[in-house]
Amino acid sequence: MMSTQQGKRIHFIGAGNMASAMLRGLVSSGFSPALLSCSAPAETETQRLVDELGIRAAADNLELLTHCDAIVLGVKPQILKAVCEELAPFLASTNRQPLVISIAAGTTTQSIAEWLKQDPDLLPLVRSMPNTPAQVGMGASGLFATPAVKADQKSLVQQIFEAFGIAVWVEDESQLHAVTALSGSGPAYVFEFIKGMADAGVSLGLSPEVSRQLAEATVAGAAKLCAASSDEEISTLQRKVMSPGGTTEQGVRVLQSEQLTATVSRAMEAARDQSLYLAGEGPGPAKN
């Protein structure tokens, strides 16, 4: 049975990788394709989603907005201002105020409200930070809601983002900089670690194919085990793999002596500082 939230009309402005991942997640989780739509200037992008998912699409961003309950701004940050300015007259003329959801990194709710020519205290707006594993249904998204977002709208947003992974709320918009540094940029850190493991496996005598498969499965399995053991400290899970005097203990000692944790912390601080810089709230990361 379709839930009340799944009966909402949702329009995506943009049909890129993230918007496409979100739409696929929504359809697979039970949202009706007939109530979903997208718009983008490239017909090849929208037609692919129409053929695959059965949603509606248009080249004009304003064509399918009537009666929408939520509008997802799924465009890159550098064109978000232009899209918002195009959308502003529609929001000013409509009798019903749709929820606006932004997935653009580094763009504040204050800026979005200004571009939409809306009072930031009255505009129901959610700013989100999803990440690329959403493309395989395992995204991790941070969410922030303005005071005007109602409980049922917040529930809709939760359901939208849980259609392709997990979703957590932050109480202060500034915390999205930390979300960006952790889960937003985090997949690239993990890819770097997988690559390092795979390359090391090759140097120890494994074939590239076997080494990569083992590295990928090991990281995915460890993450799943960690999530399934959330009542235990991560350090406890680590100790369960380490026998005194064993191979794992020796490997972990090297990682600790090379200060892996401190290196990860510095990487996240640099990503956070760049997020602040892009939002016009900081000088950016220090140049070494």
Side-chain angles (χ1 to χ4, degrees):
M1 178 182 294
M2 181 184 294
S3 73
T4 302
Q5 300 298 351
Q6 289 174 325
K8 302 290 187 181
R9 290 186 178 274
I10 306 170
H11 180 75
F12 284 72
I13 297 180
N17 289 336
M18 188 58 69
S20 297
M22 294 175 70
L23 282 162
R24 291 187 183 98
L26 290 172
V27 172
S28 65
S29 67
F31 281 76
S32 170
L35 301 178
L36 301 173
S37 59
C38 69
S39 56
E43 185 179 352
T44 53
E45 290 184 343
T46 56
Q47 191 59 46
R48 171 172 47 83
L49 292 170
V50 170
D51 295 340
E52 177 187 347
L53 303 176
I55 67 172
R56 295 184 300 160
D60 185 341
N61 288 332
L62 305 180
E63 183 177 331
L64 300 174
L65 292 185
T66 306
H67 306 307
C68 275
D69 298 287
I71 301 170
V72 181
L73 303 176
V75 298
K76 296 184 183 299
Q78 55 266 35
I79 64 171
L80 181 58
K81 180 180 180 181
V83 167
C84 287
E85 290 174 344
E86 179 187 12
L87 188 58
F90 167 79
L91 292 181
S93 63
T94 186
N95 294 325
R96 57 205 302 273
Q97 178 65 271
L99 171 69
V100 179
I101 303 169
S102 170
I103 65 172
T107 308
T108 65
T109 55
Q110 182 73 33
S111 293
I112 294 171
E114 178 183 329
W115 298 335
L116 291 172
K117 301 189 184 324
Q118 296 284 312
D119 185 330
D121 294 327
L122 301 178
L123 175 66
L125 171 61
V126 169
R127 182 180 161 196
S128 68
M129 183 65 232
N131 66 2
T132 55
Q135 296 175 37
V136 291
M138 295 185 68
S141 304
L143 307 169
F144 170 77
T146 60
V149 177
K150 299 175 182 177
D152 64 322
Q153 292 175 320
K154 199 169 183 179
S155 175
L156 172 61
V157 174
Q158 186 82 28
Q159 196 161 350
I160 288 173
F161 283 85
E162 286 185 345
F164 53 87
I166 68 162
V168 297
W169 293 90
V170 296
E171 296 182 1
D172 191 308
E173 185 172 6
S174 65
Q175 292 175 312
L176 286 178
H177 294 299
V179 172
T180 298
L182 201 167
S183 56
S185 302
Y189 314 153
V190 177
F191 295 150
E192 183 74 10
F193 191 73
I194 292 172
K195 181 179 182 298
M197 290 180 67
D199 289 348
V202 172
S203 71
L204 294 175
L206 297 174
S207 71
E209 295 78 12
V210 167
S211 192
R212 174 168 172 164
Q213 288 177 33
L214 289 174
E216 291 170 346
T218 298
V219 171
K224 189 169 185 176
L225 177 59
C226 191
S229 310
S230 57
D231 57 332
E232 294 187 76
E233 294 289 336
I234 296 176
S235 58
T236 300
L237 296 174
Q238 185 181 47
R239 286 194 296 272
K240 287 183 177 180
V241 190
M242 298 166 57
S243 302
T247 59
T248 307
E249 184 181 65
Q250 294 304 309
V252 170
R253 279 182 177 174
V254 172
L255 294 176
Q256 292 174 342
S257 69
E258 295 292 333
Q259 299 185 322
L260 174 64
T261 300
T263 300
V264 171
S265 179
R266 290 195 299 273
M268 288 180 58
E269 288 170 0
R272 185 272 318 272
D273 291 347
Q274 182 69 2
S275 180
L276 285 164
Y277 171 71
L278 293 173
E281 299 173 11
K287 299 293 189 289
N288 296 324

